[in-house]
Amino acid sequence: MNKPIFYHAGCSVCVSAEHDIVNLIGADNVEVVHLGEQKSRIAAAEQVGVKSVPALVTPNGNVLHLNYGASIEDVKG
Amino acid sequence: MNKPIFYHAGCSVCVSAEHDIVNLIGADNVEVVHLGEQKSRIAAAEQVGVKSVPALVTPNGNVLHLNYGASIEDVKG
């Protein structure tokens, strides 16, 4: 099984949600991607449907947008 | 440690998110509450900050609103 991917951009809402997800799932069971620092991964995130961060993409490809930190457009900017 | 609580109201967005969360965390590790069927628990959900469903309340009391199914006001109605 692929790992879920947690996409964020360093915002306070993102960091808080990251802690929650890591606590719930375990740090070894989720890949954390900072789109502000890894802009090359923005396209793949958008392709699976990530519209804002923080967001968790499940192994079967569903996107869970967690609260709202910033739009993907803001992250690109 | 308390279990996280997943609040929902039976909507399609809720059911999809419920499957995702149960798959990620494990069915034994999360309490699932259907606020449409357990209206007596709406007050407690609101008190911790649940504004819409589906939402996951972590053991430390943070609220993660997952996507957007319905507002808590709609669930009361």
Side-chain angles (χ1 to χ4, degrees), chain A:
Chain A
M1 190 174 89
N2 294 325
K3 280 188 189 185
I5 304 176
F6 180 81
Y7 289 107
H8 74 106
C11 57
S12 60
V13 170
C14 296
V15 171
S16 173
E18 180 185 344
H19 290 164
D20 292 333
I21 291 296
V22 165
N23 284 339
L24 288 170
I25 306 182
D28 291 343
N29 299 319
V30 58
E31 180 183 4
V32 176
V33 175
H34 188 320
L35 290 178
E37 295 172 351
Q38 296 178 265
K39 288 186 184 287
S40 63
R41 299 193 59 173
I42 292 176
E46 278 192 300
Q47 199 168 6
V48 295
V50 173
K51 300 197 185 312
S52 63
V53 286
L56 185 70
V57 178
T58 68
N60 61 9
N62 283 350
V63 182
L64 295 170
H65 294 97
L66 306 168
N67 296 335
Y68 182 83
S71 74
I72 199 86
E73 296 302 325
D74 291 336
V75 176
K76 288 183 192 171

Side-chain angles (χ1 to χ4, degrees), chain B residues 7-75:
Chain B
Y7 289 107
H8 75 107
C11 56
S12 61
V13 171
C14 296
V15 171
S16 173
E18 180 186 344
H19 289 163
D20 291 333
I21 291 296
V22 165
N23 285 338
L24 289 169
I25 306 182
D28 291 343
N29 299 319
V30 57
E31 180 183 4
V32 175
V33 175
H34 188 320
L35 290 177
E37 294 173 351
Q38 296 179 264
K39 287 186 183 287
S40 63
R41 299 193 58 174
I42 292 176
E46 278 192 300
Q47 199 168 3
V48 295
V50 174
K51 300 199 186 310
S52 63
V53 287
L56 185 70
V57 179
T58 68
N60 60 8
N62 284 350
V63 182
L64 295 170
H65 295 97
L66 306 169
N67 296 335
Y68 182 84
S71 74
I72 199 88
E73 296 302 325
D74 290 336
V75 176

